[in-house]
Amino acid sequence: MSNHVYKLLELTGSSSASIEDAVAGAIAKAHESVRNIQWFEVTGTRGHVTDGKIAHWQVTLKIGFTLK
């Protein structure tokens, strides 16, 4: 395994469907402008409730990518 230097971004993705969709959306958006994404860590999960039902998810995550 090579030695790497990593940089972190903190993002919040959102979805009305699921936590997984919120994470996937955040990673996909980051991938549009950030190269060498290697890992992610979920650091927080929130939701919005309407009429006693989950209406929306917000997931905060850290994304790590290598610097070249």
PDB file of all heavy atoms in Angstrom, residues 8-49:
ATOM      1  N   LEU A   8     -10.211  16.122   3.264  1.00  0.00           N
ATOM      2  CA  LEU A   8     -11.601  15.828   3.591  1.00  0.00           C
ATOM      3  C   LEU A   8     -12.514  16.954   3.156  1.00  0.00           C
ATOM      4  O   LEU A   8     -12.174  18.129   3.271  1.00  0.00           O
ATOM      5  CB  LEU A   8     -11.777  15.651   5.102  1.00  0.00           C
ATOM      6  CG  LEU A   8     -11.018  14.522   5.767  1.00  0.00           C
ATOM      7  CD1 LEU A   8     -11.225  14.576   7.268  1.00  0.00           C
ATOM      8  CD2 LEU A   8     -11.487  13.198   5.224  1.00  0.00           C
ATOM      9  N   LEU A   9     -13.682  16.573   2.675  1.00  0.00           N
ATOM     10  CA  LEU A   9     -14.779  17.506   2.429  1.00  0.00           C
ATOM     11  C   LEU A   9     -15.942  17.077   3.303  1.00  0.00           C
ATOM     12  O   LEU A   9     -16.183  15.886   3.473  1.00  0.00           O
ATOM     13  CB  LEU A   9     -15.255  17.426   0.973  1.00  0.00           C
ATOM     14  CG  LEU A   9     -14.369  17.956  -0.118  1.00  0.00           C
ATOM     15  CD1 LEU A   9     -15.015  17.674  -1.470  1.00  0.00           C
ATOM     16  CD2 LEU A   9     -14.144  19.430   0.051  1.00  0.00           C
ATOM     17  N   GLU A  10     -16.681  18.035   3.828  1.00  0.00           N
ATOM     18  CA  GLU A  10     -17.901  17.706   4.551  1.00  0.00           C
ATOM     19  C   GLU A  10     -19.076  18.170   3.710  1.00  0.00           C
ATOM     20  O   GLU A  10     -19.137  19.322   3.292  1.00  0.00           O
ATOM     21  CB  GLU A  10     -17.930  18.376   5.922  1.00  0.00           C
ATOM     22  CG  GLU A  10     -19.128  17.939   6.744  1.00  0.00           C
ATOM     23  CD  GLU A  10     -19.093  18.474   8.158  1.00  0.00           C
ATOM     24  OE1 GLU A  10     -19.175  19.705   8.300  1.00  0.00           O
ATOM     25  OE2 GLU A  10     -18.965  17.665   9.080  1.00  0.00           O
ATOM     26  N   LEU A  11     -20.000  17.256   3.441  1.00  0.00           N
ATOM     27  CA  LEU A  11     -21.153  17.520   2.587  1.00  0.00           C
ATOM     28  C   LEU A  11     -22.427  17.058   3.281  1.00  0.00           C
ATOM     29  O   LEU A  11     -22.377  16.183   4.144  1.00  0.00           O
ATOM     30  CB  LEU A  11     -21.034  16.745   1.275  1.00  0.00           C
ATOM     31  CG  LEU A  11     -19.764  16.927   0.455  1.00  0.00           C
ATOM     32  CD1 LEU A  11     -19.718  15.899  -0.651  1.00  0.00           C
ATOM     33  CD2 LEU A  11     -19.716  18.323  -0.115  1.00  0.00           C
ATOM     34  N   THR A  12     -23.545  17.619   2.871  1.00  0.00           N
ATOM     35  CA  THR A  12     -24.844  17.122   3.318  1.00  0.00           C
ATOM     36  C   THR A  12     -25.686  16.844   2.088  1.00  0.00           C
ATOM     37  O   THR A  12     -25.948  17.734   1.290  1.00  0.00           O
ATOM     38  CB  THR A  12     -25.559  18.133   4.226  1.00  0.00           C
ATOM     39  OG1 THR A  12     -24.739  18.381   5.375  1.00  0.00           O
ATOM     40  CG2 THR A  12     -26.904  17.604   4.684  1.00  0.00           C
ATOM     41  N   GLY A  13     -26.079  15.575   1.945  1.00  0.00           N
ATOM     42  CA  GLY A  13     -26.955  15.172   0.855  1.00  0.00           C
ATOM     43  C   GLY A  13     -28.373  15.052   1.370  1.00  0.00           C
ATOM     44  O   GLY A  13     -28.591  14.820   2.560  1.00  0.00           O
ATOM     45  N   SER A  14     -29.343  15.197   0.496  1.00  0.00           N
ATOM     46  CA  SER A  14     -30.739  15.092   0.921  1.00  0.00           C
ATOM     47  C   SER A  14     -31.529  14.254  -0.078  1.00  0.00           C
ATOM     48  O   SER A  14     -31.181  14.171  -1.249  1.00  0.00           O
ATOM     49  CB  SER A  14     -31.369  16.473   1.077  1.00  0.00           C
ATOM     50  OG  SER A  14     -31.370  17.151  -0.155  1.00  0.00           O
ATOM     51  N   SER A  15     -32.581  13.619   0.447  1.00  0.00           N
ATOM     52  CA  SER A  15     -33.433  12.784  -0.391  1.00  0.00           C
ATOM     53  C   SER A  15     -34.778  12.588   0.289  1.00  0.00           C
ATOM     54  O   SER A  15     -34.841  12.436   1.506  1.00  0.00           O
ATOM     55  CB  SER A  15     -32.791  11.418  -0.615  1.00  0.00           C
ATOM     56  OG  SER A  15     -33.688  10.533  -1.239  1.00  0.00           O
ATOM     57  N   SER A  16     -35.831  12.537  -0.501  1.00  0.00           N
ATOM     58  CA  SER A  16     -37.143  12.198   0.047  1.00  0.00           C
ATOM     59  C   SER A  16     -37.350  10.693   0.064  1.00  0.00           C
ATOM     60  O   SER A  16     -38.295  10.196   0.667  1.00  0.00           O
ATOM     61  CB  SER A  16     -38.250  12.871  -0.770  1.00  0.00           C
ATOM     62  OG  SER A  16     -38.163  12.466  -2.124  1.00  0.00           O
ATOM     63  N   ALA A  17     -36.442   9.934  -0.575  1.00  0.00           N
ATOM     64  CA  ALA A  17     -36.606   8.481  -0.685  1.00  0.00           C
ATOM     65  C   ALA A  17     -35.925   7.706   0.436  1.00  0.00           C
ATOM     66  O   ALA A  17     -36.554   6.857   1.063  1.00  0.00           O
ATOM     67  CB  ALA A  17     -36.084   8.001  -2.028  1.00  0.00           C
ATOM     68  N   SER A  18     -34.609   7.979   0.683  1.00  0.00           N
ATOM     69  CA  SER A  18     -33.883   7.157   1.646  1.00  0.00           C
ATOM     70  C   SER A  18     -32.556   7.790   2.046  1.00  0.00           C
ATOM     71  O   SER A  18     -32.054   8.700   1.377  1.00  0.00           O
ATOM     72  CB  SER A  18     -33.604   5.770   1.067  1.00  0.00           C
ATOM     73  OG  SER A  18     -32.650   5.861   0.021  1.00  0.00           O
ATOM     74  N   ILE A  19     -31.997   7.247   3.124  1.00  0.00           N
ATOM     75  CA  ILE A  19     -30.661   7.661   3.565  1.00  0.00           C
ATOM     76  C   ILE A  19     -29.645   7.331   2.479  1.00  0.00           C
ATOM     77  O   ILE A  19     -28.765   8.132   2.167  1.00  0.00           O
ATOM     78  CB  ILE A  19     -30.298   6.954   4.887  1.00  0.00           C
ATOM     79  CG1 ILE A  19     -31.192   7.458   6.024  1.00  0.00           C
ATOM     80  CG2 ILE A  19     -28.832   7.140   5.233  1.00  0.00           C
ATOM     81  CD1 ILE A  19     -31.076   6.652   7.308  1.00  0.00           C
ATOM     82  N   GLU A  20     -29.755   6.135   1.915  1.00  0.00           N
ATOM     83  CA  GLU A  20     -28.814   5.705   0.888  1.00  0.00           C
ATOM     84  C   GLU A  20     -28.834   6.630  -0.322  1.00  0.00           C
ATOM     85  O   GLU A  20     -27.779   6.956  -0.883  1.00  0.00           O
ATOM     86  CB  GLU A  20     -29.113   4.265   0.444  1.00  0.00           C
ATOM     87  CG  GLU A  20     -28.799   3.229   1.491  1.00  0.00           C
ATOM     88  CD  GLU A  20     -29.919   3.027   2.524  1.00  0.00           C
ATOM     89  OE1 GLU A  20     -30.995   3.684   2.409  1.00  0.00           O
ATOM     90  OE2 GLU A  20     -29.721   2.225   3.436  1.00  0.00           O
ATOM     91  N   ASP A  21     -30.005   7.075  -0.731  1.00  0.00           N
ATOM     92  CA  ASP A  21     -30.107   8.013  -1.853  1.00  0.00           C
ATOM     93  C   ASP A  21     -29.470   9.356  -1.511  1.00  0.00           C
ATOM     94  O   ASP A  21     -28.869   9.994  -2.377  1.00  0.00           O
ATOM     95  CB  ASP A  21     -31.561   8.230  -2.260  1.00  0.00           C
ATOM     96  CG  ASP A  21     -32.129   7.095  -3.086  1.00  0.00           C
ATOM     97  OD1 ASP A  21     -31.366   6.170  -3.458  1.00  0.00           O
ATOM     98  OD2 ASP A  21     -33.345   7.123  -3.366  1.00  0.00           O
ATOM     99  N   ALA A  22     -29.606   9.798  -0.270  1.00  0.00           N
ATOM    100  CA  ALA A  22     -28.991  11.058   0.151  1.00  0.00           C
ATOM    101  C   ALA A  22     -27.472  10.961   0.083  1.00  0.00           C
ATOM    102  O   ALA A  22     -26.797  11.873  -0.408  1.00  0.00           O
ATOM    103  CB  ALA A  22     -29.451  11.429   1.555  1.00  0.00           C
ATOM    104  N   VAL A  23     -26.915   9.840   0.550  1.00  0.00           N
ATOM    105  CA  VAL A  23     -25.464   9.629   0.499  1.00  0.00           C
ATOM    106  C   VAL A  23     -25.001   9.533  -0.951  1.00  0.00           C
ATOM    107  O   VAL A  23     -24.038  10.192  -1.358  1.00  0.00           O
ATOM    108  CB  VAL A  23     -25.066   8.360   1.284  1.00  0.00           C
ATOM    109  CG1 VAL A  23     -23.605   8.010   1.048  1.00  0.00           C
ATOM    110  CG2 VAL A  23     -25.337   8.540   2.765  1.00  0.00           C
ATOM    111  N   ALA A  24     -25.686   8.721  -1.743  1.00  0.00           N
ATOM    112  CA  ALA A  24     -25.304   8.528  -3.142  1.00  0.00           C
ATOM    113  C   ALA A  24     -25.354   9.843  -3.915  1.00  0.00           C
ATOM    114  O   ALA A  24     -24.479  10.113  -4.743  1.00  0.00           O
ATOM    115  CB  ALA A  24     -26.200   7.492  -3.794  1.00  0.00           C
ATOM    116  N   GLY A  25     -26.357  10.664  -3.642  1.00  0.00           N
ATOM    117  CA  GLY A  25     -26.468  11.957  -4.323  1.00  0.00           C
ATOM    118  C   GLY A  25     -25.319  12.890  -3.976  1.00  0.00           C
ATOM    119  O   GLY A  25     -24.779  13.578  -4.853  1.00  0.00           O
ATOM    120  N   ALA A  26     -24.930  12.908  -2.710  1.00  0.00           N
ATOM    121  CA  ALA A  26     -23.817  13.761  -2.293  1.00  0.00           C
ATOM    122  C   ALA A  26     -22.511  13.307  -2.942  1.00  0.00           C
ATOM    123  O   ALA A  26     -21.727  14.127  -3.428  1.00  0.00           O
ATOM    124  CB  ALA A  26     -23.687  13.749  -0.771  1.00  0.00           C
ATOM    125  N   ILE A  27     -22.281  11.991  -2.960  1.00  0.00           N
ATOM    126  CA  ILE A  27     -21.053  11.471  -3.564  1.00  0.00           C
ATOM    127  C   ILE A  27     -21.043  11.722  -5.072  1.00  0.00           C
ATOM    128  O   ILE A  27     -20.021  12.133  -5.634  1.00  0.00           O
ATOM    129  CB  ILE A  27     -20.886   9.975  -3.242  1.00  0.00           C
ATOM    130  CG1 ILE A  27     -20.598   9.805  -1.748  1.00  0.00           C
ATOM    131  CG2 ILE A  27     -19.769   9.355  -4.089  1.00  0.00           C
ATOM    132  CD1 ILE A  27     -20.612   8.376  -1.264  1.00  0.00           C
ATOM    133  N   ALA A  28     -22.160  11.503  -5.735  1.00  0.00           N
ATOM    134  CA  ALA A  28     -22.236  11.733  -7.180  1.00  0.00           C
ATOM    135  C   ALA A  28     -21.969  13.196  -7.523  1.00  0.00           C
ATOM    136  O   ALA A  28     -21.260  13.499  -8.493  1.00  0.00           O
ATOM    137  CB  ALA A  28     -23.602  11.302  -7.712  1.00  0.00           C
ATOM    138  N   LYS A  29     -22.519  14.109  -6.737  1.00  0.00           N
ATOM    139  CA  LYS A  29     -22.300  15.540  -6.991  1.00  0.00           C
ATOM    140  C   LYS A  29     -20.845  15.911  -6.761  1.00  0.00           C
ATOM    141  O   LYS A  29     -20.244  16.651  -7.553  1.00  0.00           O
ATOM    142  CB  LYS A  29     -23.227  16.376  -6.103  1.00  0.00           C
ATOM    143  CG  LYS A  29     -23.256  17.828  -6.451  1.00  0.00           C
ATOM    144  CD  LYS A  29     -23.841  18.042  -7.834  1.00  0.00           C
ATOM    145  CE  LYS A  29     -23.998  19.510  -8.143  1.00  0.00           C
ATOM    146  NZ  LYS A  29     -24.458  19.722  -9.523  1.00  0.00           N
ATOM    147  N   ALA A  30     -20.242  15.389  -5.683  1.00  0.00           N
ATOM    148  CA  ALA A  30     -18.829  15.669  -5.407  1.00  0.00           C
ATOM    149  C   ALA A  30     -17.953  15.132  -6.536  1.00  0.00           C
ATOM    150  O   ALA A  30     -16.968  15.771  -6.932  1.00  0.00           O
ATOM    151  CB  ALA A  30     -18.422  15.069  -4.072  1.00  0.00           C
ATOM    152  N   HIS A  31     -18.305  13.967  -7.061  1.00  0.00           N
ATOM    153  CA  HIS A  31     -17.523  13.336  -8.127  1.00  0.00           C
ATOM    154  C   HIS A  31     -17.456  14.195  -9.396  1.00  0.00           C
ATOM    155  O   HIS A  31     -16.511  14.081 -10.183  1.00  0.00           O
ATOM    156  CB  HIS A  31     -18.116  11.965  -8.459  1.00  0.00           C
ATOM    157  CG  HIS A  31     -17.393  11.243  -9.554  1.00  0.00           C
ATOM    158  ND1 HIS A  31     -16.140  10.712  -9.388  1.00  0.00           N
ATOM    159  CD2 HIS A  31     -17.756  10.983 -10.838  1.00  0.00           C
ATOM    160  CE1 HIS A  31     -15.761  10.146 -10.522  1.00  0.00           C
ATOM    161  NE2 HIS A  31     -16.732  10.295 -11.415  1.00  0.00           N
ATOM    162  N   GLU A  32     -18.415  15.091  -9.572  1.00  0.00           N
ATOM    163  CA  GLU A  32     -18.409  15.977 -10.739  1.00  0.00           C
ATOM    164  C   GLU A  32     -17.214  16.922 -10.745  1.00  0.00           C
ATOM    165  O   GLU A  32     -16.766  17.359 -11.803  1.00  0.00           O
ATOM    166  CB  GLU A  32     -19.695  16.791 -10.804  1.00  0.00           C
ATOM    167  CG  GLU A  32     -20.929  15.969 -11.108  1.00  0.00           C
ATOM    168  CD  GLU A  32     -22.198  16.798 -11.091  1.00  0.00           C
ATOM    169  OE1 GLU A  32     -22.126  18.049 -11.022  1.00  0.00           O
ATOM    170  OE2 GLU A  32     -23.286  16.189 -11.141  1.00  0.00           O
ATOM    171  N   SER A  33     -16.695  17.266  -9.550  1.00  0.00           N
ATOM    172  CA  SER A  33     -15.597  18.239  -9.491  1.00  0.00           C
ATOM    173  C   SER A  33     -14.402  17.800  -8.645  1.00  0.00           C
ATOM    174  O   SER A  33     -13.387  18.494  -8.638  1.00  0.00           O
ATOM    175  CB  SER A  33     -16.120  19.585  -8.963  1.00  0.00           C
ATOM    176  OG  SER A  33     -16.655  19.419  -7.674  1.00  0.00           O
ATOM    177  N   VAL A  34     -14.504  16.672  -7.960  1.00  0.00           N
ATOM    178  CA  VAL A  34     -13.409  16.202  -7.103  1.00  0.00           C
ATOM    179  C   VAL A  34     -12.897  14.870  -7.652  1.00  0.00           C
ATOM    180  O   VAL A  34     -13.679  13.942  -7.861  1.00  0.00           O
ATOM    181  CB  VAL A  34     -13.888  16.015  -5.644  1.00  0.00           C
ATOM    182  CG1 VAL A  34     -12.773  15.457  -4.771  1.00  0.00           C
ATOM    183  CG2 VAL A  34     -14.405  17.327  -5.077  1.00  0.00           C
ATOM    184  N   ARG A  35     -11.584  14.807  -7.873  1.00  0.00           N
ATOM    185  CA  ARG A  35     -10.980  13.561  -8.364  1.00  0.00           C
ATOM    186  C   ARG A  35     -10.435  12.745  -7.195  1.00  0.00           C
ATOM    187  O   ARG A  35     -10.189  13.265  -6.115  1.00  0.00           O
ATOM    188  CB  ARG A  35      -9.841  13.876  -9.325  1.00  0.00           C
ATOM    189  CG  ARG A  35     -10.355  14.438 -10.651  1.00  0.00           C
ATOM    190  CD  ARG A  35      -9.228  14.747 -11.571  1.00  0.00           C
ATOM    191  NE  ARG A  35      -8.569  15.965 -11.039  1.00  0.00           N
ATOM    192  CZ  ARG A  35      -7.421  16.447 -11.458  1.00  0.00           C
ATOM    193  NH1 ARG A  35      -6.765  15.827 -12.399  1.00  0.00           N
ATOM    194  NH2 ARG A  35      -6.923  17.543 -10.939  1.00  0.00           N
ATOM    195  N   ASN A  36     -10.268  11.471  -7.414  1.00  0.00           N
ATOM    196  CA  ASN A  36      -9.604  10.567  -6.477  1.00  0.00           C
ATOM    197  C   ASN A  36     -10.360  10.357  -5.165  1.00  0.00           C
ATOM    198  O   ASN A  36      -9.747  10.173  -4.114  1.00  0.00           O
ATOM    199  CB  ASN A  36      -8.172  11.033  -6.181  1.00  0.00           C
ATOM    200  CG  ASN A  36      -7.357  11.216  -7.440  1.00  0.00           C
ATOM    201  OD1 ASN A  36      -7.389  10.365  -8.320  1.00  0.00           O
ATOM    202  ND2 ASN A  36      -6.676  12.332  -7.544  1.00  0.00           N
ATOM    203  N   ILE A  37     -11.701  10.381  -5.201  1.00  0.00           N
ATOM    204  CA  ILE A  37     -12.483  10.080  -3.995  1.00  0.00           C
ATOM    205  C   ILE A  37     -12.218   8.628  -3.618  1.00  0.00           C
ATOM    206  O   ILE A  37     -12.308   7.732  -4.458  1.00  0.00           O
ATOM    207  CB  ILE A  37     -13.990  10.332  -4.224  1.00  0.00           C
ATOM    208  CG1 ILE A  37     -14.236  11.816  -4.474  1.00  0.00           C
ATOM    209  CG2 ILE A  37     -14.804   9.835  -3.030  1.00  0.00           C
ATOM    210  CD1 ILE A  37     -15.668  12.157  -4.866  1.00  0.00           C
ATOM    211  N   GLN A  38     -11.883   8.402  -2.346  1.00  0.00           N
ATOM    212  CA  GLN A  38     -11.502   7.075  -1.886  1.00  0.00           C
ATOM    213  C   GLN A  38     -12.468   6.479  -0.866  1.00  0.00           C
ATOM    214  O   GLN A  38     -12.603   5.270  -0.788  1.00  0.00           O
ATOM    215  CB  GLN A  38     -10.099   7.120  -1.248  1.00  0.00           C
ATOM    216  CG  GLN A  38      -9.020   7.589  -2.184  1.00  0.00           C
ATOM    217  CD  GLN A  38      -8.775   6.612  -3.316  1.00  0.00           C
ATOM    218  OE1 GLN A  38      -8.743   5.404  -3.109  1.00  0.00           O
ATOM    219  NE2 GLN A  38      -8.622   7.126  -4.532  1.00  0.00           N
ATOM    220  N   TRP A  39     -13.087   7.289  -0.026  1.00  0.00           N
ATOM    221  CA  TRP A  39     -13.937   6.762   1.048  1.00  0.00           C
ATOM    222  C   TRP A  39     -14.901   7.837   1.528  1.00  0.00           C
ATOM    223  O   TRP A  39     -14.764   9.004   1.180  1.00  0.00           O
ATOM    224  CB  TRP A  39     -13.094   6.238   2.210  1.00  0.00           C
ATOM    225  CG  TRP A  39     -12.112   7.226   2.780  1.00  0.00           C
ATOM    226  CD1 TRP A  39     -10.801   7.385   2.422  1.00  0.00           C
ATOM    227  CD2 TRP A  39     -12.358   8.197   3.787  1.00  0.00           C
ATOM    228  NE1 TRP A  39     -10.221   8.398   3.141  1.00  0.00           N
ATOM    229  CE2 TRP A  39     -11.159   8.915   3.997  1.00  0.00           C
ATOM    230  CE3 TRP A  39     -13.463   8.553   4.539  1.00  0.00           C
ATOM    231  CZ2 TRP A  39     -11.046   9.947   4.923  1.00  0.00           C
ATOM    232  CZ3 TRP A  39     -13.346   9.586   5.459  1.00  0.00           C
ATOM    233  CH2 TRP A  39     -12.149  10.257   5.641  1.00  0.00           C
ATOM    234  N   PHE A  40     -15.878   7.405   2.323  1.00  0.00           N
ATOM    235  CA  PHE A  40     -16.785   8.346   2.982  1.00  0.00           C
ATOM    236  C   PHE A  40     -17.123   7.824   4.368  1.00  0.00           C
ATOM    237  O   PHE A  40     -17.002   6.633   4.648  1.00  0.00           O
ATOM    238  CB  PHE A  40     -18.058   8.587   2.163  1.00  0.00           C
ATOM    239  CG  PHE A  40     -19.021   7.425   2.147  1.00  0.00           C
ATOM    240  CD1 PHE A  40     -20.056   7.362   3.063  1.00  0.00           C
ATOM    241  CD2 PHE A  40     -18.887   6.408   1.225  1.00  0.00           C
ATOM    242  CE1 PHE A  40     -20.947   6.300   3.058  1.00  0.00           C
ATOM    243  CE2 PHE A  40     -19.763   5.345   1.207  1.00  0.00           C
ATOM    244  CZ  PHE A  40     -20.797   5.285   2.133  1.00  0.00           C
ATOM    245  N   GLU A  41     -17.555   8.754   5.223  1.00  0.00           N
ATOM    246  CA  GLU A  41     -17.975   8.432   6.585  1.00  0.00           C
ATOM    247  C   GLU A  41     -19.222   9.246   6.897  1.00  0.00           C
ATOM    248  O   GLU A  41     -19.220  10.472   6.760  1.00  0.00           O
ATOM    249  CB  GLU A  41     -16.871   8.796   7.570  1.00  0.00           C
ATOM    250  CG  GLU A  41     -17.246   8.670   9.018  1.00  0.00           C
ATOM    251  CD  GLU A  41     -16.174   9.200   9.957  1.00  0.00           C
ATOM    252  OE1 GLU A  41     -15.120   9.680   9.491  1.00  0.00           O
ATOM    253  OE2 GLU A  41     -16.414   9.140  11.173  1.00  0.00           O
ATOM    254  N   VAL A  42     -20.300   8.594   7.272  1.00  0.00           N
ATOM    255  CA  VAL A  42     -21.521   9.301   7.668  1.00  0.00           C
ATOM    256  C   VAL A  42     -21.311   9.846   9.078  1.00  0.00           C
ATOM    257  O   VAL A  42     -20.974   9.097   9.996  1.00  0.00           O
ATOM    258  CB  VAL A  42     -22.745   8.368   7.610  1.00  0.00           C
ATOM    259  CG1 VAL A  42     -23.977   9.062   8.183  1.00  0.00           C
ATOM    260  CG2 VAL A  42     -23.006   7.916   6.181  1.00  0.00           C
ATOM    261  N   THR A  43     -21.488  11.145   9.238  1.00  0.00           N
ATOM    262  CA  THR A  43     -21.277  11.782  10.540  1.00  0.00           C
ATOM    263  C   THR A  43     -22.566  12.265  11.186  1.00  0.00           C
ATOM    264  O   THR A  43     -22.563  12.603  12.359  1.00  0.00           O
ATOM    265  CB  THR A  43     -20.287  12.960  10.423  1.00  0.00           C
ATOM    266  OG1 THR A  43     -20.807  13.918   9.502  1.00  0.00           O
ATOM    267  CG2 THR A  43     -18.922  12.477   9.953  1.00  0.00           C
ATOM    268  N   GLY A  44     -23.641  12.303  10.414  1.00  0.00           N
ATOM    269  CA  GLY A  44     -24.910  12.744  10.989  1.00  0.00           C
ATOM    270  C   GLY A  44     -26.079  12.427  10.084  1.00  0.00           C
ATOM    271  O   GLY A  44     -25.938  12.382   8.869  1.00  0.00           O
ATOM    272  N   THR A  45     -27.216  12.163  10.718  1.00  0.00           N
ATOM    273  CA  THR A  45     -28.440  11.880   9.970  1.00  0.00           C
ATOM    274  C   THR A  45     -29.589  12.646  10.600  1.00  0.00           C
ATOM    275  O   THR A  45     -29.752  12.622  11.818  1.00  0.00           O
ATOM    276  CB  THR A  45     -28.762  10.364   9.997  1.00  0.00           C
ATOM    277  OG1 THR A  45     -27.623   9.644   9.563  1.00  0.00           O
ATOM    278  CG2 THR A  45     -29.944  10.044   9.108  1.00  0.00           C
ATOM    279  N   ARG A  46     -30.342  13.337   9.769  1.00  0.00           N
ATOM    280  CA  ARG A  46     -31.509  14.084  10.230  1.00  0.00           C
ATOM    281  C   ARG A  46     -32.674  13.773   9.310  1.00  0.00           C
ATOM    282  O   ARG A  46     -32.489  13.318   8.196  1.00  0.00           O
ATOM    283  CB  ARG A  46     -31.242  15.589  10.159  1.00  0.00           C
ATOM    284  CG  ARG A  46     -30.211  16.100  11.096  1.00  0.00           C
ATOM    285  CD  ARG A  46     -30.041  17.607  10.948  1.00  0.00           C
ATOM    286  NE  ARG A  46     -29.511  17.997   9.647  1.00  0.00           N
ATOM    287  CZ  ARG A  46     -28.237  17.899   9.294  1.00  0.00           C
ATOM    288  NH1 ARG A  46     -27.359  17.382  10.111  1.00  0.00           N
ATOM    289  NH2 ARG A  46     -27.839  18.289   8.103  1.00  0.00           N
ATOM    290  N   GLY A  47     -33.839  14.075   9.784  1.00  0.00           N
ATOM    291  CA  GLY A  47     -35.013  13.897   8.940  1.00  0.00           C
ATOM    292  C   GLY A  47     -36.056  14.954   9.232  1.00  0.00           C
ATOM    293  O   GLY A  47     -36.038  15.595  10.275  1.00  0.00           O
ATOM    294  N   HIS A  48     -36.960  15.110   8.294  1.00  0.00           N
ATOM    295  CA  HIS A  48     -38.068  16.040   8.424  1.00  0.00           C
ATOM    296  C   HIS A  48     -39.349  15.223   8.449  1.00  0.00           C
ATOM    297  O   HIS A  48     -39.544  14.319   7.645  1.00  0.00           O
ATOM    298  CB  HIS A  48     -38.068  17.014   7.233  1.00  0.00           C
ATOM    299  CG  HIS A  48     -39.189  17.982   7.278  1.00  0.00           C
ATOM    300  ND1 HIS A  48     -40.120  18.079   6.275  1.00  0.00           N
ATOM    301  CD2 HIS A  48     -39.558  18.888   8.198  1.00  0.00           C
ATOM    302  CE1 HIS A  48     -41.000  19.013   6.578  1.00  0.00           C
ATOM    303  NE2 HIS A  48     -40.688  19.510   7.746  1.00  0.00           N
ATOM    304  N   VAL A  49     -40.230  15.519   9.385  1.00  0.00           N
ATOM    305  CA  VAL A  49     -41.474  14.771   9.553  1.00  0.00           C
ATOM    306  C   VAL A  49     -42.654  15.654   9.159  1.00  0.00           C
ATOM    307  O   VAL A  49     -42.740  16.813   9.565  1.00  0.00           O
ATOM    308  CB  VAL A  49     -41.634  14.296  11.016  1.00  0.00           C
ATOM    309  CG1 VAL A  49     -42.962  13.598  11.219  1.00  0.00           C
ATOM    310  CG2 VAL A  49     -40.472  13.397  11.410  1.00  0.00           C
TER     311      VAL A  49
END
